[in-house]
Amino acid sequence: MDLLSSILLLIVTSVLYLYWSMKKAHRFFKARDIPYLEPHWLFGNMVDVILMRTSLAEKYAEFYKKLAPHGFAGIYTMKTPTIMIRDPDLIRNVLIKDFGFFTDRGIDIVKEIDPLSESLFTMKGDEWKNLRIKLTSTFTSGRMKMMFPLVKHCGEKLSQIIDQIPDNETFDVKDLFARFTTDTIGTCAFGIETNSLNDPDSEFRIMGKKIFSFRPATIIRTIWPTMPKKLVKMFNLTVFDKNLQDYFIDTVDRTIKYREQNNITRNDFLDLLIALKNNPILQKFKDTGDDGDLKKFLDQIGSKCMKSDVDMTNDLLAAQAFVFFTAGFEGTSTVLGYALMELSFNKSIQDKARQEILGIFSLNDGQLTYEALKQMTYVDMVIEETLRKYPAVALLLRETSENYVIPNTKVIIPAHTSIIIPTYGIHSDEKYYDNPEEFRPERFTEEEKAKRPNYTYLPFGDGPRVCIAERFAKLQFKVGLVYALKNFSYKIAPEMKFPIKFKKSFGSLSPESAILLKRKRI
């Protein structure tokens, strides 16, 4: 047999083996009598996502609709089986009641090449639990009150920048809010003045943009989170660019050393991380009395342990600050952009929110305090409705740690099976939200919320792995929206492209084009 024939035989054999192995893997759901969507032999159910025709969030929302009325069903990512959870009661089991079976998100990290990936979001098992116990003290209501002046200062700067925009000049509101969130998180998480509102080309702003820039390695790691570590190392498939990682690690390291050497405190996130680094027994809870979050968490995970042996190195602290930045920078700015866009469409809602803001300011001598902010209940409803329609976290990921029997069935989900809860699909379900495309903050009055089943509104997840920074995100949302609305009215710019299309990204609902508005001083 000549060389060419041998090569052809090898190729044909390899393709046939690949086809056979994929078809064999695609028997997973049928063998377990689990309803599923028929997969493509190679790409599974992810053809459109892999070919960048749609976003992962939109695709899972599409699956959610197709798989009605099943409470759970199967889809394939390439050859990997994933079970989608649709039923609210089963969602409660996964997130809370049977959390012991679903403690991890199923994301494998490689610390050697991705040191910033060692965050609370990706950690597993006891390592995650121990760090979560320590970090609980950083986002209590008491801590938010301490950080409020830093966020408020950024809100005041936001108002000044908006004031400098000429009346009826078109501007990109998402970019404006991205500069606001860069400044708030820069000061609260990294302890530095990033000055992005005044300087759109500031170094920190540029680095923030790089986090979400297109990188083939990032996409491969995102769509194949369980890729063998040997392959990740072999091809150096870092989630984030190495220069980017070095920049953030160096920034945190220098700031920590400077504060420790000069005994400087700012009551920000980094301050709390430094305190926890030197306080393994969590004495701070006993000092403040603000320990309700910790007690709730310990009750949920079935542990009364008050100690943690996590080695809080500077690199580990940098990873926590970095994930805080990535979540808050992109997610918060996008949600704020959508909120102002929807208010520009709905003038009556915009006016009602502004009237509440002005009324609360007038009752507090024209000042915004932490207590005054909490009184703005209609603004809260505007934010909640924005998070329903455009959830910052469009998918919740989990993985079974051991075999799990789905209640009231004979179905056994094997250990290490991927689980998806499609937040975006649930938030768009007419069964829970009539006319879901309509923007209606009144959905979130106490009376309306009581009518809906629990676990049908999950913008931050729920249970022990709920977003730990939920309070800070809401504080950031609210301060940004208050200072944007207080002295200005908004309308959609004629150049704005509709309908809104989302970036072909993996999980988020970031707009493909700019959100263009015009503003007018009041």
Side-chain angles (χ1 to χ4, degrees), residues 302-320:
S303 171
K304 300 302 178 186
C305 175
M306 282 294 288
K307 295 185 180 181
S308 171
D309 56 2
V310 176
D311 185 12
M312 298 290 282
T313 64
N314 283 6
D315 279 2
L316 186 66
L317 266 58
Q320 311 323 306

mmCIF file of all heavy atoms in Angstrom, residues 302-320:
data_model
loop_
_atom_site.group_PDB
_atom_site.id
_atom_site.type_symbol
_atom_site.label_atom_id
_atom_site.label_comp_id
_atom_site.label_asym_id
_atom_site.label_seq_id
_atom_site.Cartn_x
_atom_site.Cartn_y
_atom_site.Cartn_z
ATOM 1 N N GLY A 302 -25.371 22.956 55.648
ATOM 2 C CA GLY A 302 -25.339 21.958 56.715
ATOM 3 C C GLY A 302 -24.041 21.933 57.476
ATOM 4 O O GLY A 302 -23.549 20.885 57.852
ATOM 5 N N SER A 303 -23.424 23.102 57.682
ATOM 6 C CA SER A 303 -22.147 23.161 58.398
ATOM 7 C C SER A 303 -22.204 24.257 59.436
ATOM 8 O O SER A 303 -22.763 25.318 59.208
ATOM 9 C CB SER A 303 -21.000 23.442 57.424
ATOM 10 O OG SER A 303 -19.817 23.696 58.136
ATOM 11 N N LYS A 304 -21.624 24.006 60.575
ATOM 12 C CA LYS A 304 -21.545 25.025 61.621
ATOM 13 C C LYS A 304 -20.112 25.524 61.794
ATOM 14 O O LYS A 304 -19.774 26.171 62.768
ATOM 15 C CB LYS A 304 -22.055 24.454 62.950
ATOM 16 C CG LYS A 304 -23.490 23.973 62.890
ATOM 17 C CD LYS A 304 -24.441 25.087 62.477
ATOM 18 C CE LYS A 304 -25.873 24.586 62.368
ATOM 19 N NZ LYS A 304 -26.775 25.624 61.836
ATOM 20 N N CYS A 305 -19.266 25.173 60.854
ATOM 21 C CA CYS A 305 -17.846 25.557 60.943
ATOM 22 C C CYS A 305 -17.690 27.074 60.856
ATOM 23 O O CYS A 305 -18.255 27.700 59.975
ATOM 24 C CB CYS A 305 -17.062 24.905 59.796
ATOM 25 S SG CYS A 305 -15.353 25.422 59.707
ATOM 26 N N MET A 306 -16.915 27.659 61.763
ATOM 27 C CA MET A 306 -16.656 29.094 61.733
ATOM 28 C C MET A 306 -15.214 29.393 61.349
ATOM 29 O O MET A 306 -14.749 30.504 61.472
ATOM 30 C CB MET A 306 -16.963 29.707 63.096
ATOM 31 C CG MET A 306 -18.438 29.915 63.357
ATOM 32 S SD MET A 306 -19.165 31.152 62.264
ATOM 33 C CE MET A 306 -18.451 32.648 62.931
ATOM 34 N N LYS A 307 -14.494 28.369 60.922
ATOM 35 C CA LYS A 307 -13.099 28.569 60.544
ATOM 36 C C LYS A 307 -12.892 28.190 59.086
ATOM 37 O O LYS A 307 -13.658 27.450 58.508
ATOM 38 C CB LYS A 307 -12.174 27.747 61.439
ATOM 39 C CG LYS A 307 -12.185 28.182 62.899
ATOM 40 C CD LYS A 307 -11.156 27.404 63.699
ATOM 41 C CE LYS A 307 -11.160 27.847 65.157
ATOM 42 N NZ LYS A 307 -10.144 27.128 65.952
ATOM 43 N N SER A 308 -11.851 28.705 58.512
ATOM 44 C CA SER A 308 -11.525 28.393 57.127
ATOM 45 C C SER A 308 -10.020 28.350 56.974
ATOM 46 O O SER A 308 -9.317 29.245 57.436
ATOM 47 C CB SER A 308 -12.107 29.451 56.185
ATOM 48 O OG SER A 308 -11.614 29.252 54.883
ATOM 49 N N ASP A 309 -9.512 27.285 56.362
ATOM 50 C CA ASP A 309 -8.068 27.150 56.215
ATOM 51 C C ASP A 309 -7.604 27.556 54.812
ATOM 52 O O ASP A 309 -6.532 27.173 54.369
ATOM 53 C CB ASP A 309 -7.626 25.715 56.515
ATOM 54 C CG ASP A 309 -8.346 24.688 55.638
ATOM 55 O OD1 ASP A 309 -9.156 25.102 54.780
ATOM 56 O OD2 ASP A 309 -8.092 23.477 55.817
ATOM 57 N N VAL A 310 -8.413 28.360 54.100
ATOM 58 C CA VAL A 310 -8.023 28.841 52.783
ATOM 59 C C VAL A 310 -6.810 29.761 52.931
ATOM 60 O O VAL A 310 -6.795 30.647 53.784
ATOM 61 C CB VAL A 310 -9.177 29.611 52.111
ATOM 62 C CG1 VAL A 310 -8.724 30.184 50.775
ATOM 63 C CG2 VAL A 310 -10.365 28.693 51.906
ATOM 64 N N ASP A 311 -5.811 29.529 52.110
ATOM 65 C CA ASP A 311 -4.612 30.362 52.125
ATOM 66 C C ASP A 311 -4.883 31.602 51.279
ATOM 67 O O ASP A 311 -4.849 31.548 50.053
ATOM 68 C CB ASP A 311 -3.425 29.564 51.573
ATOM 69 C CG ASP A 311 -2.120 30.346 51.675
ATOM 70 O OD1 ASP A 311 -2.102 31.386 52.373
ATOM 71 O OD2 ASP A 311 -1.119 29.916 51.055
ATOM 72 N N MET A 312 -5.152 32.711 51.937
ATOM 73 C CA MET A 312 -5.531 33.932 51.224
ATOM 74 C C MET A 312 -4.279 34.649 50.711
ATOM 75 O O MET A 312 -3.839 35.667 51.259
ATOM 76 C CB MET A 312 -6.342 34.840 52.144
ATOM 77 C CG MET A 312 -7.652 34.232 52.628
ATOM 78 S SD MET A 312 -8.900 34.073 51.335
ATOM 79 C CE MET A 312 -9.492 35.750 51.219
ATOM 80 N N THR A 313 -3.707 34.113 49.654
ATOM 81 C CA THR A 313 -2.536 34.735 49.035
ATOM 82 C C THR A 313 -2.973 35.963 48.241
ATOM 83 O O THR A 313 -4.150 36.144 47.931
ATOM 84 C CB THR A 313 -1.852 33.745 48.085
ATOM 85 O OG1 THR A 313 -2.756 33.439 47.007
ATOM 86 C CG2 THR A 313 -1.471 32.460 48.796
ATOM 87 N N ASN A 314 -2.008 36.788 47.861
ATOM 88 C CA ASN A 314 -2.317 37.962 47.050
ATOM 89 C C ASN A 314 -2.890 37.564 45.695
ATOM 90 O O ASN A 314 -3.765 38.249 45.148
ATOM 91 C CB ASN A 314 -1.066 38.827 46.868
ATOM 92 C CG ASN A 314 -0.743 39.641 48.117
ATOM 93 O OD1 ASN A 314 -1.381 39.476 49.154
ATOM 94 N ND2 ASN A 314 0.247 40.516 48.025
ATOM 95 N N ASP A 315 -2.393 36.464 45.129
ATOM 96 C CA ASP A 315 -2.936 35.992 43.845
ATOM 97 C C ASP A 315 -4.403 35.582 43.983
ATOM 98 O O ASP A 315 -5.227 35.857 43.105
ATOM 99 C CB ASP A 315 -2.123 34.802 43.319
ATOM 100 C CG ASP A 315 -0.840 35.243 42.626
ATOM 101 O OD1 ASP A 315 -0.575 36.468 42.590
ATOM 102 O OD2 ASP A 315 -0.111 34.374 42.117
ATOM 103 N N LEU A 316 -4.732 34.925 45.093
ATOM 104 C CA LEU A 316 -6.124 34.519 45.319
ATOM 105 C C LEU A 316 -7.002 35.752 45.513
ATOM 106 O O LEU A 316 -8.126 35.808 44.992
ATOM 107 C CB LEU A 316 -6.220 33.608 46.536
ATOM 108 C CG LEU A 316 -7.603 32.995 46.797
ATOM 109 C CD1 LEU A 316 -7.989 32.029 45.671
ATOM 110 C CD2 LEU A 316 -7.633 32.266 48.131
ATOM 111 N N LEU A 317 -6.499 36.737 46.229
ATOM 112 C CA LEU A 317 -7.245 37.979 46.393
ATOM 113 C C LEU A 317 -7.445 38.672 45.054
ATOM 114 O O LEU A 317 -8.524 39.215 44.766
ATOM 115 C CB LEU A 317 -6.505 38.908 47.363
ATOM 116 C CG LEU A 317 -6.924 38.855 48.831
ATOM 117 C CD1 LEU A 317 -6.774 37.445 49.399
ATOM 118 C CD2 LEU A 317 -6.107 39.840 49.669
ATOM 119 N N ALA A 318 -6.414 38.645 44.203
ATOM 120 C CA ALA A 318 -6.530 39.263 42.878
ATOM 121 C C ALA A 318 -7.599 38.578 42.048
ATOM 122 O O ALA A 318 -8.362 39.230 41.322
ATOM 123 C CB ALA A 318 -5.181 39.200 42.157
ATOM 124 N N ALA A 319 -7.700 37.253 42.161
ATOM 125 C CA ALA A 319 -8.709 36.506 41.408
ATOM 126 C C ALA A 319 -10.113 36.897 41.837
ATOM 127 O O ALA A 319 -11.029 37.013 41.007
ATOM 128 C CB ALA A 319 -8.500 35.006 41.590
ATOM 129 N N GLN A 320 -10.316 37.126 43.151
ATOM 130 C CA GLN A 320 -11.647 37.525 43.638
ATOM 131 C C GLN A 320 -11.981 38.939 43.169
ATOM 132 O O GLN A 320 -13.115 39.211 42.752
ATOM 133 C CB GLN A 320 -11.715 37.447 45.166
ATOM 134 C CG GLN A 320 -11.217 36.153 45.791
ATOM 135 C CD GLN A 320 -11.558 34.915 44.998
ATOM 136 O OE1 GLN A 320 -12.719 34.659 44.658
ATOM 137 N NE2 GLN A 320 -10.534 34.112 44.710
#
